[in-house]
Amino acid sequence: MDKKALYNLSYGVFMLATRSGNVVNGCITNTCIQVANNPVRIAISVLNSNYTCDLIKESGIFTLSLLDQTCSFETIRHFGFQSGRDVDKFANITAPADENAVPYLGWQTCSVLSAKVVSRQDLGTHTLFIAEVTDAKLLSDNSPLTYADYQAHVKPKPEQKKE
């Protein structure tokens, strides 16, 4: 099987955040779809080894920042290339929060969704969360960042080896 064929599926790029007690954390994810509209429900898939996944299982709440095309690789690296088990990703960031005190990005983001988990399914490597959207805000008119845009324009290209 050529797994590169799956790269042609269209995805957004998101910063998923949660709070459990006094602990907040966030990670980068690319899996979210709207699955119902009355009430509005979304499905997200989160890697089981991610600290954010553990915290969502505990709290049942999250925000999803829909990153826009102004998003920098530094933002992706900060939330996606280090573990919240090792570093407090929100320590030096003044981020807005939703009605549940869950932070979200107020920059490089076109929209934010707040959600409450209504069911979950263990998929082996990932957990699929079905959540009711409790609030949604439009933050900018910028276009959302797609996974294809990330691969083509945001992710640094590997350096060419000099011969």
Side-chain angles (χ1 to χ4, degrees):
M1 176 167 54
D2 186 352
K3 291 190 177 185
K4 288 184 181 178
L6 298 172
Y7 295 168
N8 290 323
L9 289 171
S10 182
Y11 302 99
V13 181
F14 316 103
M15 196 284 288
L16 173 66
T18 190
R19 177 187 58 77
S20 182
N22 292 325
V23 177
V24 295
N25 195 57
C27 68
I28 298 297
T29 185
N30 68 346
T31 308
C32 178
I33 59 169
Q34 182 177 341
V35 294
N37 66 355
N38 191 14
V40 176
R41 291 196 173 160
I42 57 174
I44 62 169
S45 180
V46 185
L47 195 63
N48 282 328
S49 61
N50 282 5
Y51 187 44
T52 303
C53 188
D54 293 341
L55 295 175
I56 293 172
K57 287 176 182 177
E58 291 174 12
S59 70
I61 55 175
F62 62 86
T63 60
L64 194 70
S65 299
L66 287 67
L67 301 177
D68 69 28
Q69 294 204 354
T70 68
C71 185
S72 66
F73 184 70
E74 289 73 30
T75 297
I76 302 288
R77 180 176 44 224
H78 181 79
F79 288 101
F81 287 80
Q82 57 185 348
S83 174
R85 288 183 177 91
D86 303 324
V87 63
D88 179 351
K89 296 181 187 181
F90 288 95
N92 297 313
I93 295 175
T94 303
D98 73 356
E99 68 276 3
N100 294 311
V102 179
Y104 60 90
L105 293 185
W107 59 93
Q108 300 178 14
T109 300
C110 55
S111 301
V112 64
L113 308 177
S114 297
K116 180 179 179 181
V117 174
V118 296
S119 68
R120 71 182 194 207
Q121 176 70 45
D122 187 339
L123 302 176
T125 59
H126 290 67
T127 295
L128 179 70
F129 294 98
I130 306 296
E132 185 170 331
V133 175
T134 59
D135 196 15
K137 293 179 180 140
L138 188 61
L139 301 180
S140 80
D141 292 330
N142 295 331
S143 296
L145 180 66
T146 67
Y147 188 69
D149 293 331
Y150 167 74
Q151 290 291 335
H153 306 293
V154 179
K155 182 179 179 182
K157 305 292 182 255
E159 290 189 27
Q160 299 295 324
K161 291 184 179 180
K162 295 179 182 179
E163 295 180 29

CSV table of all heavy atoms in Angstrom, one decimal, residues 22-86:
chain,number,residue,atom,x,y,z
A,22,ASN,N,-6.4,22.4,36.9
A,22,ASN,CA,-5.6,23.5,36.6
A,22,ASN,C,-4.6,23.3,35.5
A,22,ASN,O,-3.7,24.2,35.2
A,22,ASN,CB,-4.8,23.9,37.9
A,22,ASN,CG,-5.8,24.4,39.0
A,22,ASN,OD1,-6.8,25.1,38.7
A,22,ASN,ND2,-5.5,24.1,40.2
A,23,VAL,N,-4.6,22.2,34.8
A,23,VAL,CA,-3.7,21.8,33.8
A,23,VAL,C,-4.3,22.2,32.4
A,23,VAL,O,-5.4,21.7,32.1
A,23,VAL,CB,-3.2,20.4,33.9
A,23,VAL,CG1,-2.3,20.0,32.7
A,23,VAL,CG2,-2.6,20.0,35.2
A,24,VAL,N,-3.5,22.9,31.6
A,24,VAL,CA,-3.9,23.2,30.2
A,24,VAL,C,-2.8,22.7,29.3
A,24,VAL,O,-1.7,22.6,29.7
A,24,VAL,CB,-4.2,24.7,30.0
A,24,VAL,CG1,-5.4,25.2,30.8
A,24,VAL,CG2,-3.0,25.5,30.2
A,25,ASN,N,-3.3,22.2,28.1
A,25,ASN,CA,-2.3,21.8,27.1
A,25,ASN,C,-2.9,21.9,25.8
A,25,ASN,O,-4.2,21.9,25.6
A,25,ASN,CB,-1.9,20.3,27.4
A,25,ASN,CG,-0.7,19.9,26.6
A,25,ASN,OD1,0.4,20.6,26.8
A,25,ASN,ND2,-0.8,18.9,25.8
A,26,GLY,N,-2.1,21.9,24.8
A,26,GLY,CA,-2.6,21.9,23.4
A,26,GLY,C,-1.6,21.2,22.5
A,26,GLY,O,-0.5,21.0,22.8
A,27,CYS,N,-2.2,20.7,21.3
A,27,CYS,CA,-1.3,20.0,20.3
A,27,CYS,C,-1.9,20.4,19.0
A,27,CYS,O,-3.0,20.9,18.8
A,27,CYS,CB,-1.3,18.5,20.6
A,27,CYS,SG,-2.9,17.7,20.3
A,28,ILE,N,-1.1,20.1,17.9
A,28,ILE,CA,-1.5,20.3,16.6
A,28,ILE,C,-2.1,19.0,16.1
A,28,ILE,O,-1.6,17.9,16.3
A,28,ILE,CB,-0.3,20.7,15.7
A,28,ILE,CG1,0.3,22.0,16.1
A,28,ILE,CG2,-0.7,20.7,14.2
A,28,ILE,CD1,-0.6,23.2,16.0
A,29,THR,N,-3.2,19.2,15.4
A,29,THR,CA,-3.9,18.0,14.8
A,29,THR,C,-4.4,18.4,13.4
A,29,THR,O,-4.6,19.6,13.1
A,29,THR,CB,-5.1,17.5,15.7
A,29,THR,OG1,-5.6,16.3,15.2
A,29,THR,CG2,-6.2,18.5,15.9
A,30,ASN,N,-4.8,17.4,12.6
A,30,ASN,CA,-5.3,17.7,11.3
A,30,ASN,C,-6.6,16.9,11.0
A,30,ASN,O,-7.0,16.8,9.9
A,30,ASN,CB,-4.2,17.4,10.2
A,30,ASN,CG,-3.9,15.9,10.1
A,30,ASN,OD1,-4.3,15.1,10.9
A,30,ASN,ND2,-3.3,15.6,9.0
A,31,THR,N,-7.2,16.4,12.1
A,31,THR,CA,-8.4,15.6,11.9
A,31,THR,C,-9.6,16.1,12.6
A,31,THR,O,-9.7,16.0,13.8
A,31,THR,CB,-8.1,14.1,12.3
A,31,THR,OG1,-6.9,13.6,11.7
A,31,THR,CG2,-9.2,13.2,11.9
A,32,CYS,N,-10.5,16.7,11.8
A,32,CYS,CA,-11.7,17.2,12.4
A,32,CYS,C,-12.7,17.3,11.2
A,32,CYS,O,-12.4,17.8,10.1
A,32,CYS,CB,-11.6,18.6,13.0
A,32,CYS,SG,-13.2,19.2,13.6
A,33,ILE,N,-13.9,16.8,11.4
A,33,ILE,CA,-15.0,17.0,10.5
A,33,ILE,C,-16.3,17.2,11.2
A,33,ILE,O,-16.5,16.8,12.4
A,33,ILE,CB,-15.2,15.7,9.6
A,33,ILE,CG1,-15.5,14.5,10.4
A,33,ILE,CG2,-14.0,15.5,8.7
A,33,ILE,CD1,-16.0,13.3,9.5
A,34,GLN,N,-17.2,18.0,10.6
A,34,GLN,CA,-18.5,18.2,11.2
A,34,GLN,C,-19.3,16.9,10.8
A,34,GLN,O,-19.3,16.5,9.6
A,34,GLN,CB,-19.2,19.4,10.6
A,34,GLN,CG,-20.6,19.7,11.2
A,34,GLN,CD,-21.2,20.9,10.7
A,34,GLN,OE1,-20.6,21.8,10.2
A,34,GLN,NE2,-22.5,21.0,10.9
A,35,VAL,N,-20.0,16.3,11.8
A,35,VAL,CA,-20.7,15.1,11.5
A,35,VAL,C,-22.2,15.2,11.7
A,35,VAL,O,-23.0,14.3,11.4
A,35,VAL,CB,-20.2,13.9,12.4
A,35,VAL,CG1,-18.7,13.6,12.0
A,35,VAL,CG2,-20.2,14.2,13.9
A,36,ALA,N,-22.7,16.3,12.3
A,36,ALA,CA,-24.1,16.6,12.5
A,36,ALA,C,-24.4,18.1,12.6
A,36,ALA,O,-23.4,18.8,12.9
A,36,ALA,CB,-24.6,15.8,13.7
A,37,ASN,N,-25.6,18.5,12.4
A,37,ASN,CA,-25.9,19.9,12.5
A,37,ASN,C,-27.0,20.3,13.4
A,37,ASN,O,-27.2,21.5,13.6
A,37,ASN,CB,-26.1,20.5,11.1
A,37,ASN,CG,-27.4,20.0,10.4
A,37,ASN,OD1,-28.1,19.2,11.0
A,37,ASN,ND2,-27.7,20.6,9.3
A,38,ASN,N,-27.7,19.4,14.0
A,38,ASN,CA,-28.7,19.8,15.0
A,38,ASN,C,-28.9,18.7,16.1
A,38,ASN,O,-29.7,17.8,15.9
A,38,ASN,CB,-30.1,20.0,14.3
A,38,ASN,CG,-31.1,20.7,15.2
A,38,ASN,OD1,-30.7,21.2,16.3
A,38,ASN,ND2,-32.3,20.6,14.8
A,39,PRO,N,-28.1,18.8,17.1
A,39,PRO,CA,-27.1,19.8,17.4
A,39,PRO,C,-25.8,19.7,16.6
A,39,PRO,O,-25.5,18.6,16.1
A,39,PRO,CB,-26.8,19.6,18.9
A,39,PRO,CG,-27.0,18.2,19.2
A,39,PRO,CD,-28.1,17.8,18.2
A,40,VAL,N,-25.0,20.8,16.5
A,40,VAL,CA,-23.8,20.7,15.8
A,40,VAL,C,-22.8,19.8,16.5
A,40,VAL,O,-22.5,20.0,17.7
A,40,VAL,CB,-23.2,22.1,15.6
A,40,VAL,CG1,-21.8,22.0,14.9
A,40,VAL,CG2,-24.2,23.0,14.8
A,41,ARG,N,-22.3,18.8,15.8
A,41,ARG,CA,-21.3,17.9,16.4
A,41,ARG,C,-20.2,17.7,15.4
A,41,ARG,O,-20.4,17.8,14.2
A,41,ARG,CB,-22.0,16.5,16.7
A,41,ARG,CG,-23.0,16.6,17.8
A,41,ARG,CD,-23.3,15.3,18.4
A,41,ARG,NE,-24.1,15.6,19.6
A,41,ARG,CZ,-24.9,14.7,20.1
A,41,ARG,NH1,-25.0,13.5,19.6
A,41,ARG,NH2,-25.6,15.0,21.2
A,42,ILE,N,-19.0,17.6,16.0
A,42,ILE,CA,-17.8,17.3,15.2
A,42,ILE,C,-17.1,16.1,15.7
A,42,ILE,O,-17.4,15.6,16.8
A,42,ILE,CB,-16.8,18.5,15.3
A,42,ILE,CG1,-16.4,18.8,16.8
A,42,ILE,CG2,-17.4,19.8,14.7
A,42,ILE,CD1,-15.3,19.9,17.0
A,43,ALA,N,-16.3,15.5,14.9
A,43,ALA,CA,-15.5,14.3,15.2
A,43,ALA,C,-14.0,14.8,15.1
A,43,ALA,O,-13.6,15.4,14.1
A,43,ALA,CB,-15.8,13.2,14.3
A,44,ILE,N,-13.2,14.5,16.1
A,44,ILE,CA,-11.8,14.7,16.1
A,44,ILE,C,-11.1,13.4,16.4
A,44,ILE,O,-11.6,12.6,17.2
A,44,ILE,CB,-11.3,15.8,17.0
A,44,ILE,CG1,-11.6,15.5,18.5
A,44,ILE,CG2,-11.9,17.2,16.6
A,44,ILE,CD1,-10.9,16.4,19.5
A,45,SER,N,-9.9,13.2,15.9
A,45,SER,CA,-9.2,12.0,16.2
A,45,SER,C,-7.8,12.4,16.7
A,45,SER,O,-7.2,13.3,16.1
A,45,SER,CB,-8.9,11.2,14.9
A,45,SER,OG,-8.2,10.0,15.1
A,46,VAL,N,-7.5,11.9,17.9
A,46,VAL,CA,-6.3,12.4,18.6
A,46,VAL,C,-5.4,11.2,18.9
A,46,VAL,O,-5.9,10.1,19.4
A,46,VAL,CB,-6.7,13.1,19.9
A,46,VAL,CG1,-5.4,13.7,20.6
A,46,VAL,CG2,-7.7,14.2,19.6
A,47,LEU,N,-4.1,11.3,18.7
A,47,LEU,CA,-3.1,10.3,19.0
A,47,LEU,C,-3.2,9.9,20.5
A,47,LEU,O,-3.1,10.8,21.3
A,47,LEU,CB,-1.7,10.8,18.6
A,47,LEU,CG,-0.6,9.7,18.5
A,47,LEU,CD1,-0.9,8.7,17.4
A,47,LEU,CD2,0.7,10.5,18.2
A,48,ASN,N,-3.3,8.7,20.8
A,48,ASN,CA,-3.4,8.2,22.2
A,48,ASN,C,-2.2,8.6,23.0
A,48,ASN,O,-2.3,8.8,24.2
A,48,ASN,CB,-3.7,6.7,22.3
A,48,ASN,CG,-5.2,6.4,22.0
A,48,ASN,OD1,-6.1,7.2,22.3
A,48,ASN,ND2,-5.4,5.2,21.4
A,49,SER,N,-1.1,8.7,22.4
A,49,SER,CA,0.2,9.0,23.2
A,49,SER,C,0.3,10.5,23.5
A,49,SER,O,1.1,10.9,24.3
A,49,SER,CB,1.4,8.5,22.4
A,49,SER,OG,1.5,9.1,21.2
A,50,ASN,N,-0.6,11.3,22.9
A,50,ASN,CA,-0.6,12.8,23.2
A,50,ASN,C,-1.1,13.1,24.6
A,50,ASN,O,-2.2,12.5,24.9
A,50,ASN,CB,-1.3,13.5,22.2
A,50,ASN,CG,-0.6,13.7,20.8
A,50,ASN,OD1,0.5,13.2,20.7
A,50,ASN,ND2,-1.2,14.5,19.9
A,51,TYR,N,-0.4,13.9,25.3
A,51,TYR,CA,-0.9,14.4,26.6
A,51,TYR,C,-2.3,15.0,26.5
A,51,TYR,O,-3.1,14.8,27.4
A,51,TYR,CB,0.1,15.3,27.2
A,51,TYR,CG,-0.1,15.7,28.6
A,51,TYR,CD1,-0.5,14.8,29.6
A,51,TYR,CD2,0.1,17.1,29.0
A,51,TYR,CE1,-0.7,15.2,30.9
A,51,TYR,CE2,-0.1,17.5,30.3
A,51,TYR,CZ,-0.5,16.5,31.3
A,51,TYR,OH,-0.7,16.9,32.6
A,52,THR,N,-2.5,15.8,25.4
A,52,THR,CA,-3.8,16.4,25.2
A,52,THR,C,-4.9,15.4,25.2
A,52,THR,O,-6.0,15.6,25.7
A,52,THR,CB,-3.8,17.2,23.9
A,52,THR,OG1,-2.7,18.2,24.0
A,52,THR,CG2,-5.1,17.9,23.7
A,53,CYS,N,-4.7,14.2,24.6
A,53,CYS,CA,-5.7,13.1,24.5
A,53,CYS,C,-6.0,12.7,25.9
A,53,CYS,O,-7.2,12.6,26.3
A,53,CYS,CB,-5.2,12.0,23.7
A,53,CYS,SG,-6.4,10.7,23.4
A,54,ASP,N,-5.0,12.5,26.8
A,54,ASP,CA,-5.3,12.1,28.2
A,54,ASP,C,-6.2,13.1,28.9
A,54,ASP,O,-7.1,12.8,29.6
A,54,ASP,CB,-4.0,11.9,29.0
A,54,ASP,CG,-3.1,10.8,28.5
A,54,ASP,OD1,-3.7,9.9,27.8
A,54,ASP,OD2,-1.9,10.8,28.8
A,55,LEU,N,-5.8,14.4,28.7
A,55,LEU,CA,-6.6,15.5,29.4
A,55,LEU,C,-8.0,15.6,28.9
A,55,LEU,O,-8.9,15.9,29.7
A,55,LEU,CB,-5.8,16.8,29.2
A,55,LEU,CG,-4.4,16.9,29.9
A,55,LEU,CD1,-3.8,18.2,29.6
A,55,LEU,CD2,-4.5,16.7,31.4
A,56,ILE,N,-8.2,15.4,27.6
A,56,ILE,CA,-9.6,15.4,27.0
A,56,ILE,C,-10.4,14.3,27.6
A,56,ILE,O,-11.6,14.4,28.0
A,56,ILE,CB,-9.6,15.4,25.5
A,56,ILE,CG1,-9.0,16.7,25.0
A,56,ILE,CG2,-11.0,15.2,25.0
A,56,ILE,CD1,-8.8,16.7,23.4
A,57,LYS,N,-9.8,13.1,27.8
A,57,LYS,CA,-10.5,12.0,28.4
A,57,LYS,C,-10.9,12.3,29.8
A,57,LYS,O,-11.9,11.9,30.2
A,57,LYS,CB,-9.6,10.7,28.3
A,57,LYS,CG,-9.4,10.1,27.0
A,57,LYS,CD,-8.5,8.9,27.0
A,57,LYS,CE,-8.2,8.4,25.6
A,57,LYS,NZ,-7.3,7.3,25.6
A,58,GLU,N,-10.0,13.0,30.5
A,58,GLU,CA,-10.4,13.4,31.9
A,58,GLU,C,-11.4,14.5,32.0
A,58,GLU,O,-12.4,14.4,32.8
A,58,GLU,CB,-9.1,14.0,32.6
A,58,GLU,CG,-8.1,12.9,32.9
A,58,GLU,CD,-6.8,13.5,33.5
A,58,GLU,OE1,-6.8,14.7,33.8
A,58,GLU,OE2,-5.8,12.8,33.5
A,59,SER,N,-11.3,15.5,31.1
A,59,SER,CA,-12.2,16.7,31.3
A,59,SER,C,-13.5,16.7,30.4
A,59,SER,O,-14.5,17.2,30.7
A,59,SER,CB,-11.4,18.0,30.9
A,59,SER,OG,-11.1,18.0,29.6
A,60,GLY,N,-13.3,16.1,29.2
A,60,GLY,CA,-14.4,16.0,28.3
A,60,GLY,C,-14.7,17.4,27.6
A,60,GLY,O,-15.8,17.5,26.9
A,61,ILE,N,-13.8,18.3,27.6
A,61,ILE,CA,-14.0,19.6,27.0
A,61,ILE,C,-12.7,20.0,26.2
A,61,ILE,O,-11.6,19.5,26.5
A,61,ILE,CB,-14.3,20.7,28.0
A,61,ILE,CG1,-13.2,20.8,29.1
A,61,ILE,CG2,-15.7,20.5,28.6
A,61,ILE,CD1,-13.4,22.0,30.0
A,62,PHE,N,-12.9,20.8,25.1
A,62,PHE,CA,-11.7,21.2,24.4
A,62,PHE,C,-12.1,22.4,23.5
A,62,PHE,O,-13.3,22.7,23.3
A,62,PHE,CB,-11.2,20.1,23.5
A,62,PHE,CG,-12.1,19.6,22.4
A,62,PHE,CD1,-12.2,20.2,21.2
A,62,PHE,CD2,-12.8,18.4,22.7
A,62,PHE,CE1,-13.0,19.7,20.2
A,62,PHE,CE2,-13.7,17.9,21.7
A,62,PHE,CZ,-13.8,18.5,20.5
A,63,THR,N,-11.1,23.1,23.0
A,63,THR,CA,-11.3,24.1,22.0
A,63,THR,C,-10.5,23.7,20.8
A,63,THR,O,-9.5,23.0,20.9
A,63,THR,CB,-10.8,25.6,22.4
A,63,THR,OG1,-9.4,25.5,22.7
A,63,THR,CG2,-11.6,26.1,23.6
A,64,LEU,N,-11.0,24.1,19.6
A,64,LEU,CA,-10.3,23.8,18.4
A,64,LEU,C,-10.0,25.1,17.6
A,64,LEU,O,-11.0,25.8,17.2
A,64,LEU,CB,-11.1,22.8,17.5
A,64,LEU,CG,-10.3,22.2,16.4
A,64,LEU,CD1,-9.3,21.2,16.9
A,64,LEU,CD2,-11.3,21.5,15.4
A,65,SER,N,-8.8,25.6,17.6
A,65,SER,CA,-8.4,26.8,16.8
A,65,SER,C,-8.2,26.4,15.4
A,65,SER,O,-7.3,25.6,15.1
A,65,SER,CB,-7.2,27.4,17.5
A,65,SER,OG,-7.4,27.8,18.8
A,66,LEU,N,-9.0,26.9,14.5
A,66,LEU,CA,-8.8,26.6,13.1
A,66,LEU,C,-7.7,27.5,12.5
A,66,LEU,O,-8.0,28.7,12.3
A,66,LEU,CB,-10.1,26.8,12.3
A,66,LEU,CG,-11.2,25.7,12.6
A,66,LEU,CD1,-11.7,25.7,14.0
A,66,LEU,CD2,-12.3,25.8,11.6
A,67,LEU,N,-6.5,27.0,12.4
A,67,LEU,CA,-5.4,27.8,12.0
A,67,LEU,C,-5.6,28.4,10.6
A,67,LEU,O,-6.3,27.8,9.7
A,67,LEU,CB,-4.1,27.0,12.0
A,67,LEU,CG,-3.8,26.5,13.4
A,67,LEU,CD1,-2.5,25.6,13.4
A,67,LEU,CD2,-3.7,27.6,14.5
A,68,ASP,N,-5.1,29.6,10.3
A,68,ASP,CA,-5.3,30.2,9.0
A,68,ASP,C,-4.0,30.3,8.3
A,68,ASP,O,-2.9,29.9,8.8
A,68,ASP,CB,-6.0,31.6,9.2
A,68,ASP,CG,-5.2,32.7,9.8
A,68,ASP,OD1,-3.9,32.6,9.8
A,68,ASP,OD2,-5.8,33.6,10.4
A,69,GLN,N,-4.0,30.9,7.1
A,69,GLN,CA,-2.9,30.8,6.2
A,69,GLN,C,-1.8,31.8,6.7
A,69,GLN,O,-0.7,31.8,6.1
A,69,GLN,CB,-3.3,31.1,4.8
A,69,GLN,CG,-4.1,30.0,4.3
A,69,GLN,CD,-4.1,29.8,2.8
A,69,GLN,OE1,-3.6,30.6,2.0
A,69,GLN,NE2,-4.8,28.8,2.3
A,70,THR,N,-2.0,32.6,7.7
A,70,THR,CA,-0.9,33.4,8.3
A,70,THR,C,-0.1,32.6,9.3
A,70,THR,O,0.9,33.1,9.9
A,70,THR,CB,-1.4,34.7,8.9
A,70,THR,OG1,-2.2,34.3,10.1
A,70,THR,CG2,-2.3,35.5,8.0
A,71,CYS,N,-0.5,31.4,9.6
A,71,CYS,CA,0.1,30.6,10.6
A,71,CYS,C,1.6,30.3,10.3
A,71,CYS,O,1.9,29.9,9.2
A,71,CYS,CB,-0.6,29.2,10.8
A,71,CYS,SG,0.0,28.3,12.2
A,72,SER,N,2.4,30.5,11.3
A,72,SER,CA,3.9,30.3,11.1
A,72,SER,C,4.3,28.9,11.5
A,72,SER,O,3.6,28.2,12.3
A,72,SER,CB,4.7,31.3,11.9
A,72,SER,OG,4.5,31.0,13.3
A,73,PHE,N,5.4,28.4,11.0
A,73,PHE,CA,6.0,27.2,11.4
A,73,PHE,C,6.3,27.2,12.9
A,73,PHE,O,6.2,26.2,13.6
A,73,PHE,CB,7.2,26.7,10.6
A,73,PHE,CG,7.7,25.4,11.0
A,73,PHE,CD1,7.0,24.2,10.7
A,73,PHE,CD2,8.9,25.2,11.7
A,73,PHE,CE1,7.4,23.0,11.1
A,73,PHE,CE2,9.3,24.0,12.1
A,73,PHE,CZ,8.6,22.9,11.8
A,74,GLU,N,6.7,28.4,13.4
A,74,GLU,CA,7.0,28.5,14.9
A,74,GLU,C,5.8,28.1,15.7
A,74,GLU,O,6.0,27.4,16.8
A,74,GLU,CB,7.5,29.9,15.2
A,74,GLU,CG,8.8,30.3,14.6
A,74,GLU,CD,8.9,30.5,13.1
A,74,GLU,OE1,7.9,30.9,12.5
A,74,GLU,OE2,9.9,30.2,12.5
A,75,THR,N,4.6,28.5,15.3
A,75,THR,CA,3.4,28.1,16.0
A,75,THR,C,3.2,26.6,16.0
A,75,THR,O,2.9,26.0,17.0
A,75,THR,CB,2.2,28.9,15.5
A,75,THR,OG1,2.4,30.3,15.7
A,75,THR,CG2,0.9,28.4,16.2
A,76,ILE,N,3.3,26.0,14.8
A,76,ILE,CA,3.2,24.6,14.6
A,76,ILE,C,4.2,23.9,15.4
A,76,ILE,O,3.9,22.9,16.1
A,76,ILE,CB,3.4,24.2,13.1
A,76,ILE,CG1,2.3,24.9,12.2
A,76,ILE,CG2,3.3,22.7,12.9
A,76,ILE,CD1,0.9,24.4,12.3
A,77,ARG,N,5.5,24.3,15.4
A,77,ARG,CA,6.5,23.7,16.2
A,77,ARG,C,6.2,23.8,17.7
A,77,ARG,O,6.4,22.8,18.4
A,77,ARG,CB,7.9,24.3,15.9
A,77,ARG,CG,9.0,23.7,16.7
A,77,ARG,CD,10.4,24.2,16.3
A,77,ARG,NE,10.4,25.6,16.2
A,77,ARG,CZ,11.0,26.3,15.3
A,77,ARG,NH1,11.7,25.7,14.3
A,77,ARG,NH2,11.0,27.6,15.3
A,78,HIS,N,5.8,25.0,18.2
A,78,HIS,CA,5.6,25.1,19.6
A,78,HIS,C,4.5,24.2,20.1
A,78,HIS,O,4.7,23.6,21.2
A,78,HIS,CB,5.1,26.6,19.9
A,78,HIS,CG,4.9,26.9,21.3
A,78,HIS,ND1,5.9,27.1,22.2
A,78,HIS,CD2,3.7,26.9,22.0
A,78,HIS,CE1,5.4,27.3,23.4
A,78,HIS,NE2,4.1,27.2,23.3
A,79,PHE,N,3.4,24.0,19.4
A,79,PHE,CA,2.3,23.2,19.9
A,79,PHE,C,2.4,21.7,19.4
A,79,PHE,O,1.8,20.9,20.0
A,79,PHE,CB,0.9,23.8,19.5
A,79,PHE,CG,0.6,25.0,20.3
A,79,PHE,CD1,0.8,26.3,19.8
A,79,PHE,CD2,0.2,24.9,21.6
A,79,PHE,CE1,0.5,27.4,20.5
A,79,PHE,CE2,-0.1,26.0,22.4
A,79,PHE,CZ,0.1,27.3,21.8
A,80,GLY,N,3.2,21.5,18.3
A,80,GLY,CA,3.2,20.2,17.7
A,80,GLY,C,4.5,19.4,17.9
A,80,GLY,O,4.4,18.2,17.6
A,81,PHE,N,5.6,20.0,18.2
A,81,PHE,CA,6.8,19.3,18.2
A,81,PHE,C,7.5,19.2,19.6
A,81,PHE,O,8.7,19.0,19.7
A,81,PHE,CB,7.8,20.0,17.2
A,81,PHE,CG,7.5,19.7,15.8
A,81,PHE,CD1,6.5,20.5,15.2
A,81,PHE,CD2,8.1,18.8,15.1
A,81,PHE,CE1,6.2,20.3,13.8
A,81,PHE,CE2,7.8,18.5,13.7
A,81,PHE,CZ,6.9,19.3,13.1
A,82,GLN,N,6.7,19.3,20.6
A,82,GLN,CA,7.1,19.1,22.0
A,82,GLN,C,5.9,18.6,22.8
A,82,GLN,O,4.8,18.9,22.5
A,82,GLN,CB,7.7,20.4,22.6
A,82,GLN,CG,6.8,21.6,22.6
A,82,GLN,CD,7.5,22.9,23.1
A,82,GLN,OE1,8.6,22.8,23.7
A,82,GLN,NE2,6.9,24.0,23.0
A,83,SER,N,6.2,17.9,23.9
A,83,SER,CA,5.1,17.3,24.7
A,83,SER,C,4.8,18.2,25.9
A,83,SER,O,5.7,18.7,26.5
A,83,SER,CB,5.5,15.9,25.2
A,83,SER,OG,4.6,15.4,26.1
A,84,GLY,N,3.5,18.3,26.1
A,84,GLY,CA,3.0,19.0,27.3
A,84,GLY,C,3.4,18.3,28.6
A,84,GLY,O,3.3,18.9,29.7
A,85,ARG,N,3.9,17.1,28.5
A,85,ARG,CA,4.4,16.3,29.7
A,85,ARG,C,5.7,16.9,30.1
A,85,ARG,O,6.1,16.8,31.2
A,85,ARG,CB,4.5,14.9,29.4
A,85,ARG,CG,3.2,14.1,29.3
A,85,ARG,CD,3.5,12.6,29.0
A,85,ARG,NE,2.2,11.9,29.0
A,85,ARG,CZ,1.5,11.7,27.9
A,85,ARG,NH1,2.0,12.1,26.7
A,85,ARG,NH2,0.4,11.0,27.9
A,86,ASP,N,6.4,17.5,29.1
A,86,ASP,CA,7.8,18.1,29.4
A,86,ASP,C,7.8,19.6,29.5
A,86,ASP,O,8.8,20.1,30.1
A,86,ASP,CB,8.7,17.7,28.2
A,86,ASP,CG,8.8,16.2,28.0
A,86,ASP,OD1,8.7,15.4,29.0
A,86,ASP,OD2,8.9,15.7,26.9
